[in-house]
Every structure is written in C-alpha cells, then in structure tokens.
Amino acid sequence: MDRLVQLFERALMPIAGKVAGQKHLQAIRDGIVLTTPLLIVGSLCLVIGFIPIEGYDDFMKGIFGELWRTKLLYPVGVTFDIMALIASFGIAYRLAEKYKVDPLSAASISVASFLLVTPYNTMFTPAGTETAIQVSGVIPVTLMGSQGLFVAMIMALLSTEIFRIVIQKDIVLKMPPGVPPAVAKSFVALIPAFIVLGTCWIIRLIMEATTFESVHNVVKTLLGVPLQALGSSFAGALIAVILIHLLWACGLHGANLVGSVMSPIWLTLMDANRAVYMSNPNAELPNVITTQFFDLWLYIGGSGTTLAMVVAMAFLAKSQQMKSLGRLSLAPGLFNINEPVIFGVPIVMNPLLIIPFIVTPVVLLCVSYFAMSTGLVARPSGISVPWTTPLLVSGYLATGAKTSGLVLQLINFILAFAIYYPFIRLWDRQKCKEEQEATKNQAVTTLQA
C-alpha cells in the first residue's frame, strides 16, 4: 500500500499542483460560487411553493389568492434564470484579480461580451394557439440561465484575456493627474473595451454566416451536449469521485480541483431538474447526477463520507487521541466540514485509511445511483440545498420534501459506518499501543529523574 501511495504522489502531485494553480480554473470555480447565495434564496421559495401536504395548495389559496404560487416563485426566476449572467461577471472579476488589472471593468465588459454574442430573439406561443413564433428584440431568458452557462464561461475568459493583454501592453488612454481615480479608470478601460467588444461583434457576425447561427449553438453542439452526456452518466460520476478522493489522499483539495471543471455541468443538470419540477412536482426528473447528488448523498460529513468515521472515533475509540479528535470533529462533521479529520487523523498519505476513504464514496455512488435511476428513491429536484445542511434534513429538502431522500441518506450513513469501522479499529489499536509506549517511557524517565 505504501508503494501505491508513493506512486499516486509521484504521478498525481505534479499534475494536480499545476491544475490547482491554474488561473482560469480557479476563476471559473470562484466565479460560479457567486451564484450560490442567489440559488439558495430561489430554492427556499421553491421548497415553500411545493410542500407535499394534502390541502396545502387550497390553504395557501384561501390566504393569498389563486396566484399565490406564481407570485411566490418570482424570486426563482430572478435567481436561476440569470445564473449565466452572474457567472459571466464573477468569472471575469476573479480572473482579472489574478492578473492584477481592474476587475470591475473586466467583469462589466465580460457581461457586455456575453450579451453581444447572444441573439436577441426567443420562441413564444400565443395564448389559444399551438404554434410557436419567433419574437425579436428581447433578451432570451433561457440563455441567461444554465443553458447559457458554458458560453458565459468562455466569453468571460476570452474577454478578460484580451482586456488584460491590452492593459499590460499599455494601450490605454491616460488622463491628466488631476482627474478623479474613478473617472481615470473608466477611460483606461475605453480602448480595451472597444477591442474586446469589436472582437465579439466579429465572432457573432461570423457565426451568423454559418449554419450554427450563434455561438450558443456552436457551444451546445460541440461542447455542451458531449460534456453533459459524460457528466450525467454513471461512468463520468465514478471517474470524478475516484479522482476527487485520490487528490485528497495526496493532500490536495480534490473537490475544488475536479469541481472547477465539472461544476458547470452538474449545475446545468440540476437546473434541468428544477425546470421540470416547477412545471410538475410529480413528474419524473431527467437527471440523477447533479450537484446535490454528490454533496448530499455521497459526501455525508464531507469528502470521503467521513461523518461515519467521526462518529466511530468519538463513541467507540479507546485511544485518547482518536476519541478526542472524534469529539472535536463531530460538530464540524455534522455540517459537512471534515478538514480536521483529513489532516488531523490524518487520512492524507495514510495507507490504511485511504482505503475506506476512497471505497466508501464509490460504494455509495453505486447504491445511490441504482436507487434513484430505478425510481426507488426520488431524484434531486433541483432545489439548491446548501452543502452545509445536516444529514437527513438535506436529503428531505433536496428531493422536494420526499421521505425517500432522507431514508437513502440514513442507509448511506450506515453503509459508510460499516466500511470505516474495521479500519478505525485497526488504527485505534495502533494509537493505543503508541500511547501505552509513551506512558511507559514517561514513567521510566520520571523514575530515572
């Protein structure tokens, strides 16, 4: 096992180190995080709007009127439906920060670039008809949400790269010393903005001359569809889970590294479920694999499903070190924060505990995917439950208040406990021996003194 760990260290550490320091992946990860508070607010309204209690709808209608649900879901539209727009701003802002150029100007230009390559038309079906017609002169809401997320990412990276190159080459308008700093900054961004938007305008004209018609269609055909097919598959999820935990085992934040690539895909799949759920809470949802699938059913207590390990340490360990660390880690573990365990036990570079750390989420992936794909358990409804939400509560909310989501979390926790327990006992025995040896040595030292 030591050789295997050394092999992982030699093979993965150099690659993972480069990925961890890659500016663009960091910007994507940090920029998309900007959408999280908005999605949680929208999800809260979604939960309240579809509580599965008999008579709930009539009760709410009696208090707030026939259109109570329509009005309640207004915040859902202005959170989920502008996901790409917010991501475009956030990614560009974070990337510009890393290049040490004006992030606010870069983010504003990124949003303008994203809108510039987006066709201002949408399909509309008039009341009383079944034929959809194209309406021009409107911003298509569908492309401002998850469907436009990939284009938003690409345009944010492209526009910011052009912006910082122009700035760093000092191709800017310089104002006299007496001009206020805010005004001077806006004029500094003038030439870069002209070049960025000019480039995006040319790109749009070229795309309109092809059969694709728009950048969105190009990205959807060549990138979005294949990536979503991979990201929504069991094989893709398995690869992601194994890679995340191999990186953690080497001391690198696997969830952040892999998530910077896969999060846009899983967010898109999550939003597809949300759209179906809003139209009909009882309809079969299209995707099993979403952001919530990983956070709430596989990573109970954090990556590696370490809450089961923490419980075993806190209540069953005999060594003082394991027992104390387990009790200290219990409160953070309930909210899915497990760095104290990963680096405190440690799990990192630990040949014994790396085994359950990797095996447990793989087993839970198989169980959860089978349960949801066969309909035994409700699929994630697209409600963005915070990853820090405790066990059972999160499973109940994320499935649209379905008890089956809660039950599956409980089953997964029991399975994780059964996998971890033999390894914890072995590690605990080793620590007991070390503590006994330390006590004997201390006693001998005291007698000699």
Side-chain angles (χ1 to χ4, degrees):
M1 189 65 191
D2 288 329
R3 290 182 179 178
L4 184 60
V5 172
Q6 291 172 6
L7 177 62
F8 287 155
E9 186 176 7
R10 289 197 302 270
L12 290 178
M13 287 292 280
I15 299 172
K18 290 181 180 179
V19 172
Q22 218 287 324
K23 290 184 175 67
H24 302 87
L25 292 179
Q26 288 180 342
I28 291 172
R29 180 195 67 205
D30 297 340
I32 288 179
V33 167
L34 191 63
T35 67
T36 302
L38 299 178
L39 298 183
I40 291 172
V41 171
S43 295
L44 179 62
C45 295
L46 201 57
V47 170
I48 297 172
F50 293 98
I51 295 177
I53 298 176
E54 187 175 353
Y56 175 72
D57 186 44
D58 294 332
F59 173 76
M60 296 297 282
K61 284 179 180 178
I63 298 175
F64 300 106
E66 292 290 328
L67 298 177
W68 74 272
R69 181 177 285 122
T70 301
K71 295 178 179 179
L72 176 65
L73 296 182
Y74 286 164
V76 179
V78 298
T79 52
F80 282 88
D81 290 346
I82 61 168
M83 187 191 307
L85 206 60
I86 300 299
S88 173
F89 184 95
I91 293 169
Y93 191 98
R94 295 305 183 194
L95 184 58
E97 278 187 329
K98 296 182 187 304
Y99 283 125
K100 301 188 185 305
V101 295
D102 182 18
L104 193 58
S105 296
S108 303
I109 294 170
S110 171
V111 172
S113 301
F114 172 57
L115 292 173
L116 181 55
V117 299
T118 301
Y120 278 27
N121 55 65
T122 188
M123 301 304 294
F124 172 70
T125 304
T129 67
E130 296 181 357
T131 304
I133 60 174
Q134 181 171 294
V135 180
S136 300
V138 295
I139 297 176
V141 175
T142 54
L143 297 182
M144 297 297 104
S146 62
Q147 292 186 32
L149 191 56
F150 284 109
V151 175
M153 290 164 47
I154 292 169
M155 298 313 300
L157 298 177
L158 176 63
S159 65
T160 306
E161 281 295 332
I162 297 173
F163 177 83
R164 68 96 181 172
I165 289 171
V166 176
I167 293 289
Q168 290 173 352
K169 289 186 177 295
D170 205 26
I171 309 174
V172 297
L173 289 176
K174 296 180 180 179
M175 303 301 292
V179 176
V183 177
K185 278 187 178 181
S186 65
F187 275 92
V188 166
L190 182 59
I191 294 178
F194 181 82
I195 294 174
V196 170
L197 295 179
T199 303
C200 296
W201 175 61
I202 292 171
I203 291 172
R204 175 170 177 171
L205 293 178
I206 293 173
M207 289 300 104
E208 287 181 343
T210 67
T211 55
F212 287 109
E213 297 182 349
S214 74
V215 173
H216 287 270
N217 291 337
V218 173
V219 172
K220 180 180 178 181
T221 304
L222 302 182
L223 184 63
V225 173
L227 285 178
Q228 285 189 33
L230 175 64
S232 64
S233 68
F234 174 80
L238 182 61
I239 292 169
V241 166
I242 292 174
L243 187 56
I244 285 170
H245 292 85
L246 285 177
L247 290 168
W248 266 120
C250 296
L252 297 167
H253 201 304
N256 277 352
L257 291 172
V258 176
S260 63
V261 177
M262 299 303 297
S263 285
I265 301 169
W266 294 332
L267 279 173
T268 302
L269 296 171
M270 179 194 83
D271 197 44
N273 280 14
R274 190 268 311 174
V276 174
Y277 180 77
M278 283 184 64
S279 62
N280 181 4
N282 297 316
E284 182 179 351
L285 302 176
N287 303 303
V288 171
I289 306 296
T290 66
T291 302
Q292 286 73 38
F293 177 79
F294 291 94
D295 289 346
L296 307 183
W297 281 275
L298 269 59
Y299 305 152
I300 300 171
S303 297
T305 321
T306 53
L307 181 60
M309 174 183 173
V310 169
V311 170
M313 289 166 55
F315 298 105
L316 300 177
K318 296 180 180 179
S319 68
Q320 288 301 315
Q321 179 183 338
M322 293 286 283
K323 187 178 294 185
S324 299
L325 185 58
R327 290 174 179 176
L328 287 171
S329 303
L330 191 57
L334 290 172
F335 297 94
N336 302 317
I337 299 167
N338 66 346
E339 279 80 358
V341 178
I342 290 178
F343 296 104
V345 172
I347 293 173
V348 172
M349 296 299 175
N350 186 323
L352 180 65
L353 295 180
I354 282 175
I355 298 172
F357 184 75
I358 296 174
V359 169
T360 302
V362 169
V363 170
L364 299 192
L365 169 65
C366 297
V367 171
S368 301
Y369 188 87
F370 172 79
M372 290 184 179
S373 61
T374 56
L376 293 174
V377 174
R379 299 179 180 186
S381 61
I383 295 171
S384 184
V385 178
W387 61 270
T388 51
T389 306
L391 177 70
L392 305 183
V393 176
S394 58
Y396 183 72
L397 294 176
T399 51
K402 301 289 196 308
T403 308
S404 60
L406 176 157
V407 172
L408 180 59
Q409 279 191 324
L410 184 59
I411 291 171
N412 284 354
F413 176 80
I414 294 170
L415 287 172
F417 187 90
I419 295 170
Y420 268 109
Y421 183 65
F423 295 92
I424 293 299
R425 285 199 62 183
L426 291 172
W427 189 248
D428 187 43
R429 286 177 185 173
Q430 183 176 327
K431 291 300 172 184
C432 281
K433 289 180 181 178
E434 291 176 3
E435 289 175 1
Q436 290 170 3
E437 289 293 329
T439 302
K440 287 179 182 178
N441 292 337
Q442 186 176 4
V444 171
T445 303
T446 303
L447 288 173
Q448 290 176 346

